[in-house]
Amino acid sequence: MLTAIRRALGAGAAPPVAVTGAGALPSVCPVSDLAAASVAAAGLALAELVFARFGERPAVAVDRRLAALWFARSLAPQGWELPPVWDAVAGDYRAADGWIRLHTNAPHHRAAALSVLGSAPERAAVAEAVAGWTADALEAAIVAAGGCAAAMRSAAAWAAHPQGAAVAREPLVSWEDGEAGPDGLLAEARPDRPLAGLRVLDLTRVLAGPVATRVLAGYGATVLRLDPPDWDEPGVLPETTLGKACARLDLKDPAGRARFVALLVSADVLVHGYRPDALARLGLDAAARARLRPGLIDVSLDAYGWTGPWRERRGFDSLVQMSCGLAEAGMRGAGSDRPVPLPVQALDHATGYVMAAAVLHGLARRLATGRGCLARTALARTAALLIAAPAAPPEPAPASLGRDDFAAAPEATAWGPALRLHPPLALAGVPMRWDRPAGRLGASAPAW
């Protein structure tokens, strides 16, 4: 998988990576290997950028156990509890001919699903309503209403589906050259803080994009996350806002859009996860972004791929797992009578590290050529990478977390003190650390 990621990034054969850490997450798929490979890809990309900038290539090491654990949760609250990740209605339901998953964490997605079902917002009532639909018909109806749902398909059914076939033809990362910019060097960078001074605009939500920008912040980048006025995702913010300033900005409002343009003009990197047509409808398509900021490293993702009939469909990791066969494979492998997803949101996290690696490779390209770039990836394409990987031999589960797995000092998050896991990635002489604790959305002004 590391070789495939490197090839997609346009990089050569992977230099040696020291891999430590015993145990693997229980799954029919090699999830821990995917975790280690994606983390290693980001580490190697950073090492190559350090070499291009300073002439020295730091050695890269990955703790496979910690990489897999970071895919689940990276912090342990001290004296407080994390909010629930899932809305009370979200989950898998038995339809008349199979299974379907409803994703209802966002209020408007929840309202869309309930309007189609004509149901009260209670699991028993939703289950009764879902049972009267075929899975495909309900999926189509909820999506048409602006909601998010996915019928469970096998890998073979997904391969035969027009969207599955389209994703199979896409590269893991697609690249286009951007405009030549006025700056190729990271002027404030140091060998031990190679992304210092780098300005990253983060227009992403749960979960892949925030993972990517968290990685960049860990090596010194200034990350400004922008969210709409009414958006919230309380269950994951202690994980995803680490190292970032978080502001609110309404891009649909002319004043908000003008402020965004001013920020973009002075940014180095834009990471975004809007559906493919969203920024274009605001007059901010890829060509416009490149003109506004020549030399921009523009990295984006979507759920179901950039081609095919579902290219503009809303989606999340758990839904893509249902669509592409991972949940069905887990069900068969476990001998269960209901979908069995991956043990963690592996598509999100792995895609996040691939996106971080794409940013870093883009920066190295800009150092060499002076040109920016446009890179795209998708959760469904990461799923294809995992499905194609050979099964790993059985291993025991990773050892339980102990105090030594966490940083010595608690992190003063906005919700209370928490212990943060040691990073899974180590570069010699280049520590991964964050200058800001995790905080709430909208706590900062939309300014650098």
Side-chain angles (χ1 to χ4, degrees):
M1 285 186 282
L2 177 57
T3 297
I5 296 170
R6 296 273 298 173
R7 185 182 302 118
L9 294 168
V17 176
V19 180
T20 61
L25 296 175
S27 176
V28 295
C29 297
V31 173
S32 289
D33 287 344
L34 176 65
S38 58
V39 170
L44 290 172
L46 182 61
E48 288 161 4
L49 179 62
V50 171
F51 177 75
R53 180 70 174 82
F54 300 106
E56 295 184 6
R57 189 189 304 272
V60 177
V62 173
D63 187 317
R64 181 168 169 263
R65 170 175 168 268
L66 284 178
L69 294 174
W70 270 79
F71 273 36
R73 179 179 294 175
S74 71
L75 85 170
Q78 303 295 290
W80 56 282
E81 294 185 2
L82 288 165
V85 173
W86 297 106
D87 169 81
V89 173
D92 300 333
Y93 293 88
R94 192 186 294 275
D97 61 345
W99 287 88
I100 188 168
R101 183 169 184 86
L102 309 183
H103 198 291
T104 56
N105 279 4
H108 56 295
H109 294 162
R110 186 174 189 239
L114 294 177
S115 69
V116 169
L117 292 167
S119 169
E122 301 166 355
R123 291 196 70 86
V126 170
E128 182 178 359
V130 169
W133 288 76
T134 63
D136 282 353
L138 181 56
E139 175 190 80
I142 290 176
V143 169
C148 298
M152 187 179 75
R153 294 174 173 83
S154 67
W158 179 242
H161 190 280
Q163 190 59 37
V167 170
R169 292 190 293 268
E170 292 183 13
L172 178 63
V173 182
S174 65
W175 290 92
E176 296 177 24
D177 287 333
E179 300 291 333
D183 55 340
L185 298 177
L186 306 175
E188 298 176 36
R190 311 187 306 267
D192 66 327
R193 208 68 177 144
L195 301 185
L198 186 76
R199 289 181 170 182
V200 179
L201 272 182
D202 180 356
L203 296 184
T204 63
R205 313 285 176 262
V206 285
L207 189 57
V211 167
T213 53
R214 184 179 68 189
V215 173
L216 302 176
Y219 291 103
T222 297
V223 177
L224 177 58
R225 172 171 166 159
L226 301 175
D227 289 277
D230 58 349
W231 180 258
D232 199 10
E233 46 192 46
V236 299
L237 293 179
E239 292 283 341
T240 57
T241 59
L242 178 61
K244 308 171 190 180
C246 299
R248 297 210 181 263
L249 202 62
D250 185 355
L251 299 188
K252 296 179 180 178
D253 175 74
R257 190 156 59 252
R259 183 64 194 143
F260 172 74
V261 168
L263 291 168
L264 181 63
V265 166
S266 56
D268 297 291
V269 176
L270 174 65
V271 180
H272 52 108
Y274 288 171
R275 287 185 296 156
D277 62 335
L279 289 177
R281 290 200 306 269
L282 298 174
L284 293 166
D285 62 11
R289 299 192 298 267
R291 287 194 303 270
L292 286 166
R293 198 329 189 168
L296 181 69
I297 309 301
D298 188 323
V299 176
S300 57
L301 82 153
D302 76 352
Y304 283 105
W306 296 88
T307 60
W310 288 9
R311 62 187 178 277
E312 295 180 0
R313 176 173 289 208
R314 298 173 180 89
F316 298 90
D317 180 309
S318 59
L319 299 182
V320 175
Q321 288 192 45
M322 288 288 278
S323 297
C324 72
L326 287 168
E328 192 271 344
M331 182 175 76
R332 285 188 291 104
S336 175
D337 63 351
R338 60 181 301 113
V340 177
L342 301 176
V344 292
Q345 302 262 88
L347 306 183
D348 266 332
H349 286 269
T351 303
Y353 281 98
V354 171
M355 292 172 70
V359 169
L360 297 166
H361 276 283
L363 290 168
R365 289 184 180 199
R366 194 170 77 183
L367 283 173
T369 68
R371 301 183 72 87
C373 66
L374 177 70
R376 295 188 178 104
T377 189
L379 299 182
R381 192 57 188 79
T382 301
L385 175 69
L386 180 59
I387 291 169
E395 290 183 66
S400 300
L401 289 169
R403 182 62 183 83
D404 291 345
D405 290 313
F406 294 90
E411 177 185 324
T413 79
W415 301 268
L419 299 177
R420 186 75 62 174
L421 278 175
H422 290 305
L425 176 62
L427 275 71
V430 189
M432 191 179 201
R433 58 178 176 80
W434 292 270
D435 298 326
R436 288 175 175 261
R440 299 182 188 277
L441 300 184
S444 300
W448 294 114

